[in-house]
Amino acid sequence: MLIQRIATSLILAPLFIWAIFKMDGDAFAQLLLVFIAMGAWEFSVLIKLQNIVARLVLTISVVVVAVFISQNALLVPWVLYVSVGWWMVNLYWILVYPHKTNLWFKPIPVRLASSFLLLVPMWIALITLHQQHGAEWFLLLILIIWGADSGAYFTGKAFGKRKLSPKVSPGKSIEGVIGGIGFALVVMLLFLQYQNIAANQYIGYLLLTVLVSSVSVLGDLFESLFKRVSNIKDSGQLLPGHGGVLDRIDSLTAAAPFFLLGLNLL
């Protein structure tokens, strides 16, 4: 499994970095939209849509809504603000799990709404980040998430004792999260030096890094909630060693809106 994971990363990572820097804004947005569609298809399984027609309708609907919002500039900031509020509600569901499950999973309208709120704001945030701030800042977000995820894994393996959320994701530890934040801060510090940003501006960017790397864990845990309730290990099998597309972008679903909004405030 580890060999598969590394091999898949070695193949896909250079291709994705090339796309970030070489594809124009519209083409790159369409590429990301493909991943959104695959994520919606996988999420339809997690919310127990068994009819293939219903799954297809949901996937197409997520794509259509995402494109519609992207074409209406006035809607973009509101979608991001709603996303932030929605993630705060999700934090509550995670903290009280397995209680209150009937409120966020049992009603089919809530499950369907989660599909849109999970994926649409992320896509809007990512394409806006790429188009308005540039490829380097887009890559920075990816590296922050990667640093937080990798740092949490290795730190948790070495020092993890206190479980973060044992009922949702038993493998995650508080020590791992702290280690992940540390790795993410190193990424940001290196980037700030590369960008020649004045040292007196560092504090804002470092605080943003702490927030984004913390929120990325929330995205991971939220997907784990649905996996728990649906009794599914991976969202898919498309990426050898990694599971499905949703398994790879779950951290970004939460982190991207927070990163863009925070970056715009700095």
Side-chain angles (χ1 to χ4, degrees), residues 87-165:
W87 280 110
M88 293 302 96
V89 174
N90 292 338
L91 175 60
Y92 174 72
W93 302 138
I94 292 169
L95 291 175
V96 301
Y97 180 81
H99 304 293
K100 310 290 187 180
T101 303
N102 61 312
L103 296 179
W104 59 266
F105 192 85
K106 187 175 181 180
I108 184 64
V110 176
R111 278 182 278 158
L112 293 175
S114 293
S115 306
F116 293 88
L117 290 167
L118 182 72
L119 296 166
V120 172
M122 178 188 69
W123 183 72
I124 294 295
L126 290 177
I127 65 171
T128 304
L129 177 65
H130 188 260
Q131 294 172 358
Q132 294 185 1
H133 293 275
E136 291 179 338
W137 288 93
F138 187 99
L139 180 60
L140 171 64
L141 172 59
I142 302 301
L143 292 177
I144 287 174
I145 300 303
W146 176 82
D149 184 54
S150 300
Y153 176 80
F154 290 112
T155 306
K157 284 288 186 181
F159 306 105
K161 293 181 179 180
R162 293 172 292 179
K163 299 298 183 183
L164 177 67
S165 183

Side-chain angles (χ1 to χ4, degrees), residues 157-226:
K157 284 288 186 181
F159 306 105
K161 293 181 179 180
R162 293 172 292 179
K163 299 298 183 183
L164 177 67
S165 183
K167 294 179 180 179
V168 178
S169 184
K172 287 184 172 54
S173 67
I174 295 175
E175 292 84 359
V177 171
I178 294 173
I181 293 174
F183 273 61
L185 286 171
V186 171
V187 171
M188 177 59 86
L189 283 170
L190 292 174
F191 180 82
L192 293 175
Q193 293 183 18
Y194 171 76
Q195 290 289 323
N196 292 321
I197 293 176
N200 60 2
Q201 299 179 24
Y202 277 25
I203 185 64
Y205 290 104
L206 294 177
L207 289 175
L208 176 60
T209 303
V210 172
L211 173 64
V212 170
S213 53
S214 300
V215 170
S216 70
V217 180
L218 180 59
D220 191 320
L221 290 174
F222 185 67
E223 187 196 1
S224 295
L225 277 183
F226 285 88

Side-chain angles (χ1 to χ4, degrees), residues 76-77 80-82 84 125 208 256-266:
V76 170
L80 299 178
Y81 294 138
V82 168
V84 169
L208 176 60
F258 280 85
F259 184 74
L260 179 61
L261 286 173
L263 192 62
N264 288 340
L265 292 175
L266 293 175

